[in-house]
Amino acid sequence: MTLPSLETTPIPGLVVVRLDRRDDSRGFFKENWQREKMLAIGLPDFGPVQNNVSFNADRGVTRGIHTEPWDKFVSLATGRIFGAWVDMREGDTFGATFTLEMDTAVAVFVPRGVGNSYQVLEDATAYTYLVNAHWRPGITYPALALDDSTVAIDWPIPLGEAIISEKDQNNPGLDPSTAIPAKKTLVLGGRGQLGLALAAAFPGCDAVDRAELDVTDADAVAAWPWHEYAVVLNAAAYTAVDAAETPEGRVAAWAANATGPATLAGLAREHGFTLVHYSSDYVFDGTAPLDPGHTEDEPVSPLGVYAQSKAAGDVAVSLAPRHYVLRTSWVIGEGKNFVRTMQSLAEKGVSPSVVDDQVGRLTFTDELVRATRHLLDSDAAFGTYHVSNGGPAMSWRQIAQAVFERSGRSADDVSGTSTEAYAKGVLAQGNPFSPRPLNSAMSLEKLRATGFEPEDAMSALDRYLAG
């Protein structure tokens, strides 16, 4: 069987699929739905969960215009129809129409929010459709009158001669006030430095913190309207790396970094949203060669409790059908962070000692946000990506020296120390200390292959300090 072909329409997302039907003296055969081939021609991976068949005994049966809250893949097992679709979604194409005569060699993908209707042109027509949500009894879904004068569908059989249910004879007219809103974006961890940057980059999103939505709370999860979201950006995490080594911190880290993402992955499967989860270089032990650095297919090898909980979260999220795991390193955003601390010390005349055997790349939150938007907007393949700013890997000391130089101080004012020596000082004070990967540099080649070019970390540092 050859690949089907795809044709776009004036309604965004509504596409016509010409199927490869094989006819002979016995009848015909066709692959009505073959996932790999449909994805290859550009259909979304919409995850059908139910197949329905509407058998129409008589020519002239007319059904619709129905706008249920799911995507549909419609086709015919027998017969012929005149199909009509109306965009009922908010936006510039609200009220746009498309019509098409269909036989068994044609299918149409109908996105959520587009009204669907058809008129039977032959007796014994079997209309079949896949949907990605289960039908539930007792629920009234939006509908539009078949004879609405605004959309003015030119039915081949006059409606006065058609067979129409009483319900469909009483559907309302087109009303912009009832347009179906687009699904939203949800930002979890919306008050953190990454969450704030994400909220600013996704206008109209819902940004919440743990006090507003705790995904480890079963009652809170059950009460949340997950069906309203197309994308969930999970910037929520337990990030107290050293405190995670304490009994209390261990429980909190695993709850936020592993149990929470596992819950989100299950919700993504159930509700069909795309899950974007932000992870860490800490999932590696830091023993990979500096060039190319840690790659996405390298087995995880976490050292401490925080790292172990983040690695478990990566595995959990990878089970969501539509997911991006973005592993990042040394994040710098608004609020307290390493760069601001070094800038403050430089301004105060302090000459600090900074670790010089941990090597990696800074990731500014605007770069992480830019990569997020790129992957979503370009429909990049789902999976795990490494994201940081570009340029050569540097030690914490080298980064501190760069900040000092940009603050009018000498790089020599920043001395070096080892991770081992730093750890001894922390432990001597009775504080917990988690092991760190000495090499946090990650390969960015998979991200580059999607068409994204990371900004050099030092260029981004200049902008950050200037701003």
Side-chain angles (χ1 to χ4, degrees):
M1 303 294 287
T2 60
L3 283 177
S5 63
L6 183 145
E7 301 168 5
T8 59
T9 73
I11 298 178
L14 181 82
V15 294
V16 177
V17 180
R18 304 286 177 177
L19 301 170
D20 180 22
R21 190 182 71 185
R22 301 294 177 90
D23 296 81
D24 63 23
S25 59
R26 299 166 298 173
F28 71 81
F29 174 82
K30 63 174 177 174
E31 290 180 339
N32 201 56
W33 168 262
Q34 208 271 29
R35 178 176 174 271
E36 289 187 6
K37 290 182 179 179
M38 295 303 177
L39 296 184
I41 65 171
L43 255 66
D45 195 4
F46 75 110
V49 298
Q50 184 170 326
N51 183 40
N52 302 321
V53 178
S54 174
F55 181 76
N56 305 274
D58 300 313
R59 178 180 183 274
V61 169
T62 306
R63 302 176 187 265
I65 303 169
H66 303 150
T67 315
E68 297 93 350
W70 47 63
D71 303 314
K72 296 179 181 178
F73 183 82
V74 304
S75 59
L76 301 177
T78 60
R80 196 164 52 90
I81 67 165
F82 173 84
W85 296 271
V86 180
D87 198 340
M88 305 287 283
R89 300 168 296 186
E90 287 181 345
D92 295 339
T93 58
F94 175 74
T97 63
F98 176 73
T99 61
L100 175 72
E101 186 173 311
M102 293 175 56
D103 60 16
T104 55
V106 180
V108 175
F109 178 78
V110 187
R112 171 190 174 272
V114 174
N116 185 81
S117 61
Y118 66 93
Q119 187 172 77
V120 176
L121 302 180
E122 290 183 3
D123 293 348
T125 290
Y127 177 96
T128 180
Y129 54 105
L130 298 169
V131 296
N132 56 357
H134 294 293
W135 177 84
R136 292 179 294 167
I139 298 177
T140 301
Y141 298 119
L144 176 65
L146 292 161
D147 62 352
D148 181 84
S149 59
T150 307
V151 299
I153 295 170
D154 187 15
W155 298 102
I157 300 172
L159 293 179
E161 302 172 17
I163 304 168
I164 306 171
S165 70
E166 181 179 353
K167 179 181 177 182
D168 282 346
Q169 291 181 42
N170 293 286
N171 288 334
L174 192 67
D175 182 356
S177 69
T178 62
I180 297 171
K183 286 193 174 186
K184 299 180 290 184
T185 296
L186 175 65
V187 178
L188 301 172
R191 306 295 180 264
Q193 61 177 352
L194 175 57
L196 289 170
L198 288 168
F202 287 82
C205 72
D206 292 340
V208 298
D209 61 14
R210 185 179 177 185
E212 296 165 290
L213 174 59
D214 181 355
V215 295
T216 66
D217 182 331
D219 291 338
V221 168
W224 197 261
W226 298 100
H227 64 278
E228 295 181 1
Y229 300 98
V231 177
V232 174
L233 307 174
N234 182 34
Y238 181 94
T239 58
V241 174
D242 294 327
E245 300 294 326
T246 67
E248 300 82 5
R250 181 178 296 106
V251 172
W254 274 89
N257 297 343
T259 304
T263 297
L264 291 171
L267 292 165
R269 285 193 299 272
E270 179 182 356
H271 297 281
F273 60 74
T274 298
L275 176 59
V276 181
H277 174 70
Y278 299 92
S279 186
S280 169
D281 58 293
Y282 270 70
V283 302
F284 300 117
D285 61 9
T287 60
L290 193 58
D291 185 14
H294 298 287
T295 59
E296 286 83 354
D297 58 0
E298 178 184 334
V300 295
S301 49
L303 297 174
V305 172
Y306 164 78
Q308 293 159 6
S309 68
K310 291 298 290 184
D314 286 10
V315 173
V317 171
S318 71
L319 300 177
R322 303 171 58 86
H323 76 274
Y324 295 106
V325 173
L326 304 190
R327 291 190 186 129
T328 190
S329 60
W330 302 7
V331 176
I332 304 295
E334 294 306 313
K336 185 179 180 181
N337 58 61
F338 180 81
V339 169
R340 290 302 185 203
T341 297
M342 291 301 109
Q343 183 182 36
S344 176
L345 294 178
E347 291 170 351
K348 293 176 181 177
V350 177
S351 297
S353 180
V354 179
V355 169
D356 59 10
D357 58 355
Q358 292 178 36
V359 179
R361 295 186 184 90
L362 293 178
T363 309
F364 290 87
T365 53
D366 60 355
E367 185 75 343
L368 193 48
V369 168
R370 188 169 72 92
T372 301
R373 288 231 64 130
H374 169 77
L375 292 171
L376 289 170
D377 293 346
S378 66
D379 291 323
F382 297 120
T384 298
Y385 293 84
H386 290 170
V387 181
S388 72
N389 282 90
M394 302 172 68
S395 70
W396 284 117
R397 181 190 181 192
Q398 289 174 314
I399 293 170
Q401 289 174 324
V403 175
F404 264 56
E405 289 177 330
R406 286 159 173 77
S407 301
R409 295 280 300 278
S410 170
D412 295 336
D413 291 338
V414 181
S415 60
T417 187
S418 68
T419 300
E420 182 180 3
Y422 176 74
K424 285 180 179 179
V426 172
L427 293 170
Q429 297 176 23
N431 296 317
F433 182 82
S434 175
R436 267 80 164 157
L438 296 185
N439 174 20
S440 290
M442 298 186 293
S443 171
L444 304 177
E445 291 313 303
K446 182 177 179 180
L447 181 63
R448 285 193 171 100
T450 70
F452 183 92
E453 184 57 40
E455 181 186 15
D456 182 85
M458 290 299 100
S459 297
L461 177 65
D462 290 335
R463 284 195 303 102
Y464 183 78
L465 293 174

